[in-house]
Structures are given as C-alpha cells and as structure tokens.
Amino acid sequence: MTTVLLGGLGTTTRIWGPQFDVLEDAIALDLPGHGTAPVPDGPVDIESIARDVLDVVPGSFAFVGVSIGGFVGMWLGVNAPERVERLLLACTGAKIGDRDEYYARAARVREEGTEPLVAGARARWFTPAFRDDPRAEAILDDLRGISRAGYAACAEAVGDWDFREEARRIAVPTLVVYGREDPVTSADVRTQLAHLPSVEIAGAHLANVESPDEFNHQLRSSG
C-alpha cells in the first residue's frame, strides 16, 4: 500500500529521509510553495492542500503528516475516509496557536523572507542536544530557501485552522505521535485529540527526524 508523507510549515520532503528506510512504497509531497511544489498565486487552506493530495495520489493510501501535514490528515480522515486506510498524525493538533500570530508571521515573511524565522524554528523543531546536528542544519537550510509566498500562504492556513469539533469524526484507524519536548503541542493542544490513541517519543516538533528509530517503530506498528 502507498504511504503519503506530508511535512510541516517551512520544511521540505528532506524530513522524511529516515522514514524511507522502512517504507517500501512511499510518496513524499511538499506543501504549496515549499521544496519543488509550485508557488501558490493566492490563498491556500487545509482543504485545498488535502484535495491536491487526493488528485495527485491514485487509489487508497496510508497518510503520515507532521504539524500542518497532520492537519491535512485529519481533514482526509473526516472527508475522504474511503481513500485513507490509516493515519499517523505527528506533532500536531486540531488547533495550534493564534490566528493573528500566524498572520503576522506571514506578513513578516512577505517583507523579509524566512531567514528571520530560523532561530525560532531551531528552538521549536529540535531539542538542545540536536539543534547543531548536521541533519538539523540541513533542514534549517531548507527553511531559508522556502518561497516567501508559499510560506506565507501556508502560515495563514495554519492560523485559520480550527478542527476541534470535526476531529471527533475521524473515521479511519489513527495514531497520534507527540514529541516529548515539543513546545508546539502543549497540554491544551494534546487534549484536543485525546479521544484518539497516542504515544510519546523523544524529540521536539520534528520528532520523526530527531528520533527516527522510535518514530519508525510507531510507523510500522500502526500498519
């Protein structure tokens, strides 16, 4: 079965390198304006990203999403359960952060690019012990290269996202994976998905990168 992988705001398909070691048939996709994906010419939202996944990937598939990628997985689990065999939602929530904060970040990126975000991303994405690892540096370099329009549009999509009511209607087998030191998925955020099975592994917001063995164990177990 095909497994679709979709990452977080400001990342590219590079983050999935460790997962390709254990997946025989995987497709990693970039968010709009990230990596090799076309730069959007207007606003995007989680539904439009999810519908692009349905258009690009034939048939049924398993879906693994980190952060905003997890948002897309939730939408698919409610609105296209006939296409999704199972979900692994990592370091994510049904509502994360404040809309105004994400819109302010988007405005800043349109003016200044993504370089000013690197220090904050380093602190959120990785634990102190991993922040200077070459694997972390490579992912932060990718953040520097994300298009302004792509990052800003996806940041606004994160700000607009509120799936707290709908998440209870996810209709496919689902596992939620949290990073033990992830500052993004606070206790309040985790409560939103408390009705779903969950596990905690070492790492921060990109726990799949920092703790690939633990993450891959959960990936195999969820299948």
Side-chain angles (χ1 to χ4, degrees), residues 79-102:
N79 294 284
E82 72 284 357
R83 296 285 305 277
V84 181
E85 297 288 337
R86 66 180 186 272
L87 293 171
L88 191 152
L89 309 174
C91 305
T92 192
K95 173 66 178 174
I96 288 180
D98 178 78
R99 182 181 186 274
D100 290 344
E101 291 177 2
Y102 277 100

Side-chain angles (χ1 to χ4, degrees), residues 3-8 11-23 26-31 63-70 88-91 139 142 205-209 212 215-216 219:
T3 300
V4 179
L5 309 167
L6 187 64
T11 72
T12 72
T13 58
R14 184 193 299 271
I15 71 167
W16 299 113
Q19 281 66 64
F20 278 107
D21 293 340
V22 297
L23 293 172
I27 300 173
L29 302 177
D30 279 313
L31 295 166
F63 186 91
V64 181
V66 166
S67 196
I68 184 175
L88 191 152
L89 309 174
C91 305
I139 289 167
D142 286 344
H205 198 49
L206 294 185
N208 65 303
V209 175
F215 189 91
N216 289 349
L219 186 59

Side-chain angles (χ1 to χ4, degrees), residues 8-139:
L9 179 64
T11 72
T12 72
T13 58
R14 184 193 299 271
I15 71 167
W16 299 113
Q19 281 66 64
F20 278 107
D21 293 340
V22 297
L23 293 172
E24 295 182 359
D25 186 11
I27 300 173
L29 302 177
D30 279 313
L31 295 166
H34 289 54
T36 61
V39 177
D41 56 7
V44 301
D45 58 22
I46 301 306
E47 179 177 348
S48 67
I49 299 171
R51 291 194 180 280
D52 284 345
V53 172
L54 294 172
D55 289 343
V56 168
V57 183
S60 60
F61 51 86
F63 186 91
V64 181
V66 166
S67 196
I68 184 175
F71 299 176
V72 173
M74 288 178 230
W75 190 96
L76 291 168
V78 171
N79 294 284
E82 72 284 357
R83 296 285 305 277
V84 181
E85 297 288 337
R86 66 180 186 272
L87 293 171
L88 191 152
L89 309 174
C91 305
T92 192
K95 173 66 178 174
I96 288 180
D98 178 78
R99 182 181 186 274
D100 290 344
E101 291 177 2
Y102 277 100
Y103 269 69
R105 189 193 300 183
R108 185 181 188 191
V109 168
R110 288 190 175 100
E111 290 292 325
E112 304 177 33
T114 56
E115 179 64 37
L117 307 183
V118 171
R122 187 189 300 272
R124 291 191 304 274
W125 291 356
F126 309 113
T127 66
F130 193 80
R131 287 172 189 165
D132 296 322
D133 187 283
R135 291 166 291 178
E137 293 290 354
I139 289 167

Side-chain angles (χ1 to χ4, degrees), residues 66-67 90-93 96 121 123-127 131 177-187 189-190 200-207 210:
V66 166
S67 196
C91 305
T92 192
I96 288 180
R124 291 191 304 274
W125 291 356
F126 309 113
T127 66
R131 287 172 189 165
V177 177
Y178 294 112
R180 189 168 297 121
E181 298 180 56
D182 183 4
V184 179
T185 56
S186 62
V189 171
R190 297 185 186 202
E200 190 177 72
I201 65 174
H205 198 49
L206 294 185
E210 189 164 348

